[in-house]
Amino acid sequence: MNKISECRGVAWWQAPALPPSAHLSSTVRLPGSKSLTARWMLLAAISTQTTRLVGALDSADTRAMGRALAQLGARVHWNLDACVIKPFPRSDTGQLIIRGGVHINAGQSGTVMRFILPLAAMAHGTVTVDCANNARHRPISGLVTALGGLGVSIASQPANRSGFPLTIHGRGQLLGGTVTVDARASSQYISALLLAAPLMKNGLTIHLAHHELPSAPHVEMTIRVLQSCGIDVVVSDGSWAIQPPDSSQITLPHDVTIEPDLSNAGPFLAAAMVAGGTVTIENWPAYSQQPGMAYLALLHRAGATFAEKSPGNLTCHGPATIRPLSVDMHDVGELVPTIAAICAFADGQSHLSNIGHLRGHETDRLQAITNELTKLGISATTTADDLIINGHSRALHGTDLDSYADHRMATFGAILGLRVPGIRVANMETTAKTFPQFVNMWETMVTNG
């Protein structure tokens, strides 16, 4: 196993490299989807009965969600194979009682910092929401403005900017109504409002201020989860409408099974691409709203072939030569670091377009990818919205890569290190944000071939 060493406060991970003649033949079982886990956790907290989320992802982000829900009054318990949630208490009239007078730290989780705001707006008292210092740049103003349009008072510190920490003055159930949202910075604004809409007295109709929505599959995922709970979402061009259920009560199944995280499958599928071998992902769903489903089409265009090794198990066969890609990644931006790592091994120019919103993720991912590929000997440039990579497998050489405290950039480094000896990645432990088992699973895959 590759050890992590520390130097001047930076923990360095020596990325394991396969010999040039080695070909992978590995099988991987992934943890549950972070995006689905977060949505089901929130819905379980506002439902009428205790829910067991089987296969829920246990990671830094989902733990942050659990702590936030617990501070607002739910009970959250993690065990080996599930997350068990007892919902918020209710008044004699059946209204949810969301606790005020609390301080919530979302850590580095954009999902928590956005999803929790509409719930905090319905608390009985003031709620402060903060996050990690290196996450305070993440966009939130569109959601704050939308909640203000619903009558919610939210103050930021300092007062002259719309950023964390935020103080939400909760006054119980929101009336709802109609709101217009600028969601160009994040689709999570829409998902956050949709998840809270069933609690609003008059329901909620959401209109997009601009016909531009990044990561649209995540909104589709939110709608599908709501529909699974009997909540009807009326969708039209650039708008969504939800009427409150009877007595504002939502009932979930006692047990909900969470799909594997298909975005986290990316580095392992990429391993088959750059190593020219095969990797099998267990329990791959036949259908899913997860953006990770797009890996199938993207990698096929780059030269991969896929087969179902056994029912539910998907096998990726890497090509002898990786083809450059020219694709619009607007709807699946979270896949960009993995696709960019693959494109570095394609001899030719790849163009990943319409992804300017990635500048507001854990880091400016477009600039981060460009910086690190340049260190490796690859010519890469950015425009306002695009990433252009001049792949050249023979130009790649070992170097130290920064993870930028970004889990996707950390796995980006691991993919490159698989075929380029001498790569070290800084602060690989950041993968615990969404995939605590990553380092162990990656090293096991390389060791076992």
Side-chain angles (χ1 to χ4, degrees), residues 108 113-114 131-141 161-164 185 189 357-365 404-406:
Q108 293 191 53
M113 63 179 69
R114 292 160 185 152
C131 60
N133 287 335
N134 63 355
R136 291 191 176 194
H137 69 282
R138 303 197 69 174
I140 196 68
S141 61
R161 66 180 181 86
S162 181
F164 295 95
Y189 300 168
H357 57 284
L358 295 190
R359 297 188 184 279
H361 278 241
E362 282 82 345
T363 188
D364 179 341
R365 284 183 176 163
Y404 300 83
D406 182 337

Side-chain angles (χ1 to χ4, degrees), residues 125 142 172 249 281 324 369 421:
Q249 293 189 353
I281 308 295
I369 291 169

Side-chain angles (χ1 to χ4, degrees), residues 30 261-271 273 281 284 290-306 314 316 325 329 332-342 408 411-412 415:
L30 295 167
D261 194 309
L262 305 188
S263 293
N264 280 338
F268 296 94
L269 296 173
M273 296 293 292
I281 308 295
W284 188 277
Q290 293 187 58
M293 285 293 282
Y295 276 128
L296 302 185
L298 289 166
L299 298 190
H300 178 72
R301 289 178 65 171
T305 56
F306 292 92
L314 181 79
C316 176
L325 291 172
M329 298 286 289
V332 290
E334 68 186 53
L335 312 187
V336 166
T338 294
I339 295 299
I342 294 170
R408 304 292 183 202
T411 56
F412 164 88
I415 296 165

Side-chain angles (χ1 to χ4, degrees), residues 20-21 36 49 145 156-157 175-176 178 195 202 214 235 276 334 336 413 420 422 427 433 439 444:
S21 59
L36 284 169
Q49 64 181 22
T145 300
S156 63
Q157 298 175 358
L175 290 178
T178 301
L195 290 166
N202 300 321
V235 182
E334 68 186 53
V336 166
V420 182
N427 300 321
K433 183 178 189 294
V439 169
T444 299

Side-chain angles (χ1 to χ4, degrees), residues 232-392:
D232 186 33
V233 183
V234 178
V235 182
S236 59
D237 185 25
S239 70
W240 302 263
I242 291 179
Q243 293 300 315
D246 293 341
S247 303
S248 298
Q249 293 189 353
I250 301 170
T251 302
L252 274 62
H254 182 268
D255 284 358
V256 173
T257 299
I258 306 295
E259 293 175 3
D261 194 309
L262 305 188
S263 293
N264 280 338
F268 296 94
L269 296 173
M273 296 293 292
V274 304
T278 65
V279 171
T280 298
I281 308 295
E282 293 187 343
N283 300 319
W284 188 277
Y287 175 81
S288 176
Q289 294 286 354
Q290 293 187 58
M293 285 293 282
Y295 276 128
L296 302 185
L298 289 166
L299 298 190
H300 178 72
R301 289 178 65 171
T305 56
F306 292 92
E308 192 174 50
K309 186 175 181 180
S310 57
N313 293 344
L314 181 79
T315 299
C316 176
H317 299 263
T321 303
I322 296 173
R323 294 194 289 263
L325 291 172
S326 181
V327 287
D328 185 328
M329 298 286 289
H330 182 264
D331 286 346
V332 290
E334 68 186 53
L335 312 187
V336 166
T338 294
I339 295 299
I342 294 170
C343 290
F345 292 92
D347 289 332
Q349 187 176 92
S350 293
H351 195 150
L352 309 181
S353 62
N354 209 8
I355 48 177
H357 57 284
L358 295 190
R359 297 188 184 279
H361 278 241
E362 282 82 345
T363 188
D364 179 341
R365 284 183 176 163
L366 297 190
Q367 192 60 54
I369 291 169
T370 302
N371 291 348
E372 302 315 293
L373 288 178
T374 301
K375 289 181 189 176
L376 287 158
I378 294 291
S379 171
T381 57
T382 63
T383 66
D385 292 308
D386 300 349
L387 174 62
I388 301 163
I389 300 169
N390 294 296
H392 191 345

